[in-house]
Amino acid sequence: MSSSTLSAPVVPGTDITDNFRAAYENRYTWEPGFGGYQGSCVWEQGERRVEGRFRVGADLKATIEGIEDEAVHKAVASQLWEVAIHRVRRPFEQTHATNTFTAGDTDAVGTEVIVGGKGEGDRYRIKDDVVTMVHRHIHGTVVTIFTTEVLNTGAGYLSHTYTSQYSDPASGELRGGRSSFTDTFIPLPGGGPWVLAERRIETEEATAPEGVSRQTFRFEDLAPLSGAA
């Protein structure tokens, strides 16, 4: 198929490798030579507010300073790592050379992409060159992510609002409550790469007030490491 945009339903069983490749390559990733960045970080939950400083190196590892609470320290580092690892640019062939991609049904979310080969059991949905759903087996669990809004940077898209749900790969039983994310990205000063400025997470928890726990991560005073004093 020559067109990457699936504007009309595709016949189930069709090879849609080219379509999935177009959506994969439309994701925003950092240019090679990413040098890292730094700034201040803030974590908020209810009345609690914790502040610190962070650095993300060229190796994508995050260093957090000024946060003594181990759980908060780990949570902040985890968000920075998760964002950074998704910005790494890997050729489609390197990531998916051992997989096949076949069309399933098409609904409002997009056209289902059924994975065969090494990634058999995984599924995606794509719409307008955006991966709108991810259903992947990772480390003995299944994560299902639905993306509802994206930010177009001019050099690829970033997910703005999305949900995440873990489940048991054998039974399909849900593991934990569904989390809803709202991410805000900004480019670093001087036309640098886009990085996370704020992430708001709402997680369904029966023991939390109103059945939902809320936490916010903010990353401010952002600057590339190469421009640090």
Side-chain angles (χ1 to χ4, degrees):
M1 299 177 66
S2 59
S3 173
S4 62
T5 301
L6 297 168
S7 56
V10 178
V11 176
T14 302
D15 181 342
I16 54 172
T17 301
D18 289 348
N19 307 89
F20 184 70
R21 178 201 296 266
Y24 176 90
E25 294 179 345
N26 190 33
R27 299 172 307 122
Y28 176 79
T29 53
W30 288 330
E31 295 285 345
F34 168 76
Y37 68 107
Q38 64 181 355
S40 60
C41 49
V42 178
W43 174 85
E44 294 177 334
Q45 186 171 48
E47 298 299 316
R48 288 194 67 197
R49 177 185 173 92
V50 180
E51 300 182 34
R53 298 282 305 174
F54 78 92
R55 291 164 59 99
V56 175
D59 59 1
L60 308 184
K61 292 183 180 178
T63 302
I64 314 294
E65 297 178 345
I67 297 180
E68 302 300 328
D69 186 303
E70 184 177 347
V72 175
H73 185 286
K74 182 177 179 181
V76 172
S78 177
Q79 304 310 314
L80 290 167
W81 163 253
E82 184 178 308
V83 170
I85 200 66
H86 283 95
R87 299 291 84 80
V88 175
R89 185 171 301 176
R90 293 189 179 90
F92 182 80
E93 290 77 11
Q94 179 182 336
T95 304
H96 291 295
T98 57
N99 293 331
T100 61
F101 303 95
T102 305
D105 67 341
T106 298
D107 62 14
V109 177
T111 296
E112 184 181 33
V113 180
I114 301 170
V115 182
K118 186 177 180 180
E120 184 172 358
D122 292 352
R123 293 182 286 111
Y124 300 88
R125 285 190 186 270
I126 55 175
K127 184 177 184 179
D128 298 329
D129 289 348
V130 169
V131 179
T132 53
M133 188 277 285
V134 175
H135 181 87
R136 288 190 61 203
H137 293 69
I138 303 176
H139 305 308
T141 192
V142 171
V143 61
T144 304
I145 300 168
F146 285 93
T147 295
T148 50
E149 289 185 58
V150 300
L151 166 70
N152 290 306
T153 68
Y157 76 88
L158 288 160
S159 296
H160 173 55
T161 60
Y162 53 99
T163 62
S164 175
Q165 175 70 67
Y166 291 94
S167 59
D168 182 274
S171 67
E173 183 179 352
L174 300 183
R175 292 179 174 174
R178 184 178 67 168
S179 293
S180 299
F181 295 78
T182 304
D183 286 357
T184 300
F185 293 88
I186 61 172
L188 289 179
W194 290 75
V195 297
L196 184 68
E198 181 183 89
R199 168 169 287 175
R200 288 184 286 130
I201 309 174
E202 295 188 355
T203 303
E204 298 170 351
E205 292 184 11
T207 58
E210 303 174 8
V212 177
S213 70
R214 297 178 175 88
Q215 56 183 327
T216 300
F217 299 85
R218 293 194 180 90
F219 303 97
E220 303 168 337
D221 305 319
L222 302 171
L225 285 183
S226 58

